[in-house]
Amino acid sequence: MKYTVNEQGYYGDFGGAYIPEMLYPNVEELRQQYQNIITDESFKAEFESLLKDYVGRPSPLYHARRLSEKYGANIFLKREDLNHTGSHKINNAIGQILLAQRLGKKRIIAETGAGQHGVATATVCALMGIECVVYMGEIDMERQAPNVARMKMLGAKVVPATSGSKTLKDATNEAMRDWINNPVDTHYIIGSVVGPYPYPEMVARFQSIISLEAKKQLLEHTGSELPQYVLACVGGGSNAMGMFYHFLEDEQVKLIAIEAAGKGVNSGHSAATSVLGKEGILHGSRTILMQTEDGQVVEPYSISAGLDYPGIGPQHAHLHKIKRAEYVNITDDEALQAGLLLSQLEGIIPAIESAHAFAQLEKMKFEKTDNVVVCLSGRGDKDLSTYIKHFGF
Amino acid sequence: MNRLNSMFNQKKNNLLSVYFTAGYPDLNATVDVAEALEKAGVDFLEIGFPYSDPVADGPTIQNSSQQALDNGMTLNVLFEQLAELRKRVSIPVLLMGYANPMVQYGVERFCAKAAEVGVDGVIVPDLPMYEYETLYKECFAKHGLSNIFLVTPQTAEDRIRKIDGLSNSFIYLLSSASITGGSLTLSDVTETYFKRIKDMELTNPVVIGFGISNKAAFDKATAYANGAIVGSAFVKFQAEEGYLERIPEFVKSIRN
Ligand SMILES: Cc1ncc(COP(=O)(O)O)c(C=O)c1O
């Protein structure tokens, strides 16, 4: 199992728990308890039942006929956009709220970029009747305004992060500060496979339902569990990790992770971490991050708030380093075009994050018999104003 | 024996340390501020090397860090300033900052350079004990640098004992579980916590920091510990007109 985490919380050179002492008791409590809790029968039963009846899982694996014709391969979409709240983020939020309840926590905090994780967290908090505070970069609050309203309607308090680039990285800083100040009663629901161990592992496990289902569904559609290619976009990397998880050991399956190039990798306005980043420490783990020579974090840029992050989760850093997955990138314009194409060929408006994964199809050469799975991580409702602005509808 | 150990050998009570961010409010303020603090009677200095994402810090130190970075502060600049500082300042100097800048600089290179310019100890809040022990402890020891660990109200007793065993100058006791810039609540809970630590009779001296913003807080902290550290309150004071000349006044307002 060379792709999984070791006892100290490392994936090869990456991971660990680089946290101030103030957070040690919380993180240690999680580390000690989460395995037992999530493998407990009552937890599993409640998790599965909520995923089925509340989220609407399994999410379909849809054979996209017109897209397949265009690219000359069998293209399947893993429809995380059809989940309740509109993205994959709800899988992790459900898992973590059940965990928080079992840890006796009375208050939930979260960070959010696109607002999808914030909405998912606000949703599960409403469901369980638990207080919820979501930190969101001031810039993201503007560009993802519908999600801010959704969170408020769900009863969450949304706090703007006004430091730094005023995006996801800064929202994460603020959430960590809140957790330091409220160590006993609060659980921090991190929204991606980032943060100190055990978060990357825990979030990946909650999201691994995506590839677990996909394997079964592929078998039904194609007669084989294994496709030739699996594609997913990467912000922190949770939908990608969930989509890759059960294919990691199947070495013949090519895993492709798509980062946001923003205005171009070398434009100075990019979030293509695997190209622009170096090894270092961000938000509690050793990983790859965009930074200056002096170790200051560089402010990233992407049109998509969910991919606008200067790091990637430590397991992605590992998969990148040992080349188990290929990390590529897509510009704002390419992603927007791919979003338009998917809308008009298949009648599905994707989140701009997910559109990055679809744009990669343009750049690939397929055999007619290739089976390709793309993770459609979320729906595009939240991005309509960006699409409208770009295309002038 | 480094300056920190000599200091704790000579003086056991009422030690006052002040934190400030290198390169704030002006890039070249570092040495002048240090010298003025020494002249005003401060016992040792904690100099922050700024980081873009200081998760353990409140708005005051976040802002001073960002300002310092905007002013052009880097580790290379800081080490040059510290070499200059040592010609004028003889009290112990600690560097405080986050792991990533140190790791990018290279931990071995960082330790060698810090020792060369007269730094006595380092506080890196996000450097975990496991990584310190397995990767960095030897390097710190080789260069005679003390690594200072933090202890909070939530730190379990066996962990405090372990920290005591790994420490070789002092233990940094947080007045509460919080980021920097709060203010010490003089409640029974705080007092019980301070007393609990005092009663553990640790081998290392204990200095209390975070939330020490005035004389009352300083007095309360030093009733239970060997000293206290003032941080955000001083950084806030540095925003005032003519702060440099008025440093003696500030120090007197904390301890007289
Ligand atoms: C629809 C969608 N896809 C992808 C992401 C990126 O996150 P991750 O890389 O953790 O999947 C987000 C984040 O907000 C999102 O909303």
Side-chain angles (χ1 to χ4, degrees):
Chain A
M1 301 292 279
K2 58 187 171 192
Y3 305 116
T4 50
V5 76
N6 74 14
E7 244 175 68
Q8 270 70 41
Y10 280 84
Y11 305 88
D13 296 336
F14 304 104
Y18 290 78
I19 42 161
E21 186 65 27
M22 298 80 109
L23 289 180
Y24 179 83
N26 305 42
V27 171
E28 181 61 15
E29 177 185 36
L30 265 185
R31 192 184 68 79
Q32 287 187 3
Q33 308 243 25
Y34 97 96
Q35 294 267 19
N36 288 342
I37 293 176
I38 71 173
T39 51
D40 180 74
E41 289 306 322
S42 84
F43 180 96
K44 287 201 297 201
E46 198 176 351
F47 185 53
E48 277 161 25
S49 125
L50 282 171
L51 286 185
K52 176 168 173 281
D53 299 330
Y54 188 70
V55 176
R57 299 205 75 92
S59 70
L61 187 75
Y62 164 66
H63 182 215
R65 194 180 48 79
R66 295 187 68 203
L67 204 64
S68 296
E69 269 167 26
K70 176 169 166 60
Y71 292 117
N74 297 309
I75 296 174
F76 296 90
L77 315 188
K78 184 59 177 157
R79 299 290 309 271
E80 295 300 303
D81 62 320
L82 294 178
N83 292 341
H84 179 45
T85 72
S87 83
H88 68 294
K89 298 283 184 187
I90 190 79
N91 305 327
N92 168 50
I94 296 265
Q96 285 204 48
I97 198 76
L98 295 178
L99 180 70
Q101 284 184 317
R102 282 158 177 79
L103 291 170
K105 303 294 177 179
K106 303 277 179 276
R107 178 173 174 271
I108 295 296
I109 54 171
E111 87 296 338
T112 195
Q116 287 302 113
H117 175 58
V119 167
T121 304
T123 298
V124 297
C125 286
L127 181 66
M128 301 300 175
I130 298 182
E131 182 189 349
C132 178
V133 178
V134 179
Y135 291 90
M136 187 169 189
E138 212 169 34
I139 290 187
D140 293 340
M141 286 180 72
E142 261 167 55
R143 60 179 163 174
Q144 308 278 246
N147 273 346
V148 177
R150 284 169 84 193
M151 286 184 266
K152 288 184 179 162
M153 183 153 177
L154 291 160
K157 187 173 153 204
V158 183
V159 182
T162 56
S163 58
S165 52
K166 303 179 175 61
T167 59
L168 182 53
K169 154 181 99 73
D170 311 286
T172 309
N173 290 342
E174 288 308 328
M176 286 188 148
R177 290 182 184 122
D178 181 311
W179 208 21
I180 289 173
N181 287 338
N182 299 284
V184 181
D185 66 338
T186 298
H187 176 69
Y188 177 15
I189 302 191
I190 294 186
S192 192
V193 285
V194 302
Y197 178 73
Y199 277 103
E201 179 62 14
M202 196 167 73
V203 177
R205 280 172 65 172
F206 290 141
Q207 293 293 1
S208 68
I209 183 77
I210 300 174
S211 47
L212 189 74
E213 290 172 0
K215 269 193 160 177
K216 283 191 208 132
Q217 293 164 324
L218 274 167
L219 185 64
E220 284 167 22
H221 278 285
T222 70
S224 167
E225 282 192 331
L226 304 182
Q228 275 64 45
Y229 298 96
V230 173
L231 278 68
C233 68
V234 175
S238 67
N239 86 88
M241 219 52 249
M243 189 73 248
F244 292 172
Y245 200 91
H246 290 284
F247 294 112
L248 284 172
E249 306 284 331
D250 303 310
E251 306 276 345
Q252 68 271 40
V253 177
K254 297 196 183 66
L255 307 175
I256 301 174
I258 296 100
E259 298 182 327
K263 294 180 179 166
V265 169
N266 297 313
S267 66
H269 302 277
S270 178
T273 303
S274 70
V275 184
L276 299 169
K278 278 187 306 183
E279 294 182 16
I281 295 154
L282 179 68
H283 293 144
S285 65
R286 201 179 170 92
T287 185
I288 301 174
L289 65 132
M290 292 165 55
Q291 55 184 313
T292 65
E293 241 164 53
D294 216 39
Q296 308 298 340
V297 183
V298 166
E299 290 172 7
Y301 164 82
S302 165
I303 193 166
S304 114
L307 306 185
D308 197 353
Y309 185 69
I312 49 176
Q315 193 170 11
H316 282 292
H318 180 55
L319 296 178
H320 172 65
K321 192 164 182 175
I322 63 171
K323 299 193 162 64
R324 173 62 189 96
E326 186 187 354
Y327 289 75
V328 297
N329 55 76
I330 286 296
T331 64
D332 289 355
D333 286 345
E334 290 167 336
L336 290 162
Q337 279 306 327
L340 184 65
L341 188 78
L342 188 69
S343 305
Q344 301 191 348
L345 281 185
E346 297 288 348
I348 298 171
I349 301 177
I352 297 182
E353 288 79 11
S354 323
H356 284 71
F358 286 90
Q360 178 61 18
L361 293 169
E362 283 286 337
K363 305 195 169 179
M364 296 176 61
K365 292 249 172 314
F366 296 112
E367 304 283 328
K368 270 244 153 307
T369 51
D370 283 346
N371 294 322
V372 180
V373 181
V374 185
C375 187
L376 176 44
S377 57
R379 61 177 190 235
D381 309 36
K382 69 186 178 60
D383 295 314
L384 273 183
S385 70
T386 308
Y387 282 129
I388 290 166
K389 212 156 111 197
H390 187 80
F391 294 112
F393 297 126
Chain B
M1 187 184 293
N2 72 23
R3 293 176 197 82
L4 272 172
N5 299 117
S6 318
M7 176 189 73
F8 284 111
N9 282 344
Q10 279 162 25
K11 191 170 170 186
K12 308 251 184 274
N13 300 307
N14 267 349
L15 288 157
L16 171 62
S17 174
V18 170
Y19 166 93
F20 64 96
T21 305
Y24 173 83
D26 315 297
L27 182 62
N28 293 315
T30 316
V31 181
D32 292 340
V33 172
E35 191 177 23
L37 286 168
E38 175 172 70
K39 284 207 173 116
V42 165
D43 295 292
F44 64 105
L45 301 173
E46 211 184 293
I47 303 181
F49 55 96
Y51 180 50
S52 54
D53 295 78
V55 290
D57 286 300
T60 303
I61 294 178
Q62 284 173 44
N63 292 339
S64 67
S65 300
Q66 193 52 52
Q67 182 64 52
L69 290 173
D70 294 346
N71 291 345
M73 181 48 71
T74 65
L75 275 175
N76 279 323
V77 171
L78 177 59
F79 284 133
E80 277 170 32
Q81 293 183 347
L82 291 174
E84 192 55 34
L85 182 148
R86 266 294 168 232
K87 297 179 190 156
R88 287 155 61 185
V89 171
S90 60
I91 54 176
V93 169
L94 296 163
L95 289 185
M96 178 161 189
Y98 290 81
N100 196 48
M102 184 175 79
V103 167
Q104 293 312 313
Y105 195 84
V107 177
E108 168 62 37
R109 187 170 157 233
F110 179 94
C111 290
K113 193 75 195 170
E116 182 194 318
V117 300
V119 170
D120 303 287
V122 182
I123 307 171
V124 186
D126 60 341
L127 179 65
M129 200 193 281
Y130 169 76
E131 279 74 8
Y132 170 71
E133 266 196 282
T134 51
L135 301 171
Y136 303 138
K137 191 175 152 199
E138 227 168 273
C139 177
F140 275 62
K142 184 169 116 197
H143 297 286
L145 289 176
S146 301
N147 182 44
I148 317 299
F149 291 95
L150 309 182
V151 162
T152 84
Q154 269 75 42
T155 310
E157 177 160 346
D158 57 342
R159 191 169 165 86
I160 299 178
R161 294 277 175 216
K162 183 152 188 226
I163 286 172
D164 195 30
L166 276 174
S167 299
N168 52 15
S169 61
F170 73 94
I171 288 172
Y172 194 138
L173 192 71
L174 264 53
S175 69
S176 65
S178 70
I179 55 175
T180 58
S183 52
L184 179 74
T185 45
L186 303 172
S187 68
D188 292 352
V189 183
T190 312
E191 224 156 312
T192 311
Y193 156 59
F194 287 174
K195 186 162 182 320
R196 172 166 64 85
I197 303 295
K198 191 177 161 75
D199 291 346
M200 285 181 75
E201 300 186 347
L202 301 171
T203 56
N204 286 275
V206 172
V207 179
I208 297 178
F210 284 40
I212 310 297
S213 58
N214 55 33
K215 186 167 185 313
F218 179 82
D219 289 347
K220 177 65 67 182
T222 50
Y224 293 93
N226 304 74
I229 303 172
V230 179
S232 297
F234 180 72
V235 176
K236 243 182 228 154
F237 165 75
Q238 285 183 289
E240 291 175 19
E241 190 91 15
Y243 78 92
L244 197 61
E245 289 71 38
R246 289 174 37 233
I247 282 179
E249 213 180 289
F250 177 87
V251 171
K252 259 204 207 101
S253 76
I254 305 286
R255 180 188 69 182
N256 52 22

